[in-house]
Amino acid sequence: MERAAVQKRPEFKLDFSPLKEPIGFIKVLQWIFAVFAFATCCGYTGESVASVKCSNGQVDRISVLFSYPFRLNLISYRALTCENVSVYDTLYLSRDYSSSPESFVTIGVFTFLYCTAALVLYVGYQSLYQQNKYLPIIDFVVTALFAFLWLVSSSAWAQGLTNVKNATKPTALISGVRACQRPSVVCAQGALPTMGRLNASVIFGYMNFILWSGNSWFVYKETSWHKPASPQDVAEQGDNVQY
């Protein structure tokens, strides 16, 4: 009875040459831009400011802090009613916009993890990647999937960011204050929230889409769908032909 052949475990061999090629170099860029994308979004905190001046001269400063994931309907603020110096209305920002930024950040984190695993495979197990015909195909499918997800999530987050800006601008705070409907009450808006960081996150999202779309071609070139069959494969196919 013949012994079953023992399958050799893949050997780890450090080789940085794939990083000099487009498939590896772009993967490093994808790793970096994924970190920038989710870090600029999930670490954001902003402030919206307005003021209410009653007819008796009393001034009330309204300050609202908001942050990721932008569940604005849970954020409250107080404003004078101008009917009594100690009477305030409790108001809330409008709507929950957490779905699009949370999806955007989730895709960024998964991108980071996949790029880390892919770089380990490229640098440490390049021979396995070259010899196993299924790994490049899986890499290509995942790459094309991430390109699609970055396009969808970036577009959704761009629209969500527009909604967040409209819901948190000072005029939106003033519109909910009951006292501001009186002619004798002066309501003024303060400085707009600084959202350059969130604008950058959208830009990084679309840059990730461009990187993943471009890298799809270089990954596709590594698959058996693009590469011609090796002489060894042709020989094996010839041996299987029955006459």
Side-chain angles (χ1 to χ4, degrees), residues 162-207:
T162 301
N163 295 333
V164 170
K165 289 179 179 179
N166 292 331
T168 57
K169 59 186 179 182
T171 53
L173 304 183
I174 294 173
S175 64
V177 178
R178 183 159 46 102
C180 293
Q181 309 303 322
R182 301 177 185 177
S184 58
V185 177
V186 178
C187 296
Q189 63 178 9
L192 291 171
T194 303
M195 294 193 177
R197 184 172 178 173
L198 297 182
N199 293 332
S201 69
V202 174
I203 295 174
F204 283 127
Y206 282 114
M207 292 182 71

Side-chain angles (χ1 to χ4, degrees), residues 84-219:
N84 190 297
V85 293
S86 60
V87 177
Y88 289 81
D89 281 335
T90 300
L91 306 170
Y92 290 85
L93 296 178
S94 62
R95 301 189 61 178
D96 180 354
Y97 296 106
S98 62
S99 59
S100 59
E102 285 182 334
S103 300
F104 182 84
V105 169
T106 300
I107 292 172
V109 172
F110 277 110
T111 297
F112 169 81
L113 296 176
Y114 180 75
C115 286
T116 302
L119 287 172
V120 171
L121 180 63
Y122 293 168
V123 174
Y125 299 94
Q126 181 61 210
S127 59
L128 175 64
Y129 186 81
Q130 295 292 337
Q131 295 170 7
N132 190 317
K133 68 176 182 179
Y134 296 108
L135 286 178
I137 293 176
I138 294 173
D139 193 16
F140 169 71
V141 172
V142 174
T143 300
L145 177 63
F146 269 118
F148 172 75
L149 291 176
W150 274 114
L151 175 62
V152 173
S153 64
S154 298
S155 300
W157 171 222
Q159 180 58 53
L161 178 56
T162 301
N163 295 333
V164 170
K165 289 179 179 179
N166 292 331
T168 57
K169 59 186 179 182
T171 53
L173 304 183
I174 294 173
S175 64
V177 178
R178 183 159 46 102
C180 293
Q181 309 303 322
R182 301 177 185 177
S184 58
V185 177
V186 178
C187 296
Q189 63 178 9
L192 291 171
T194 303
M195 294 193 177
R197 184 172 178 173
L198 297 182
N199 293 332
S201 69
V202 174
I203 295 174
F204 283 127
Y206 282 114
M207 292 182 71
N208 273 289
F209 163 67
I210 294 172
L211 285 173
W212 284 90
S213 298
N215 200 32
S216 297
W217 166 247
F218 296 105
V219 177

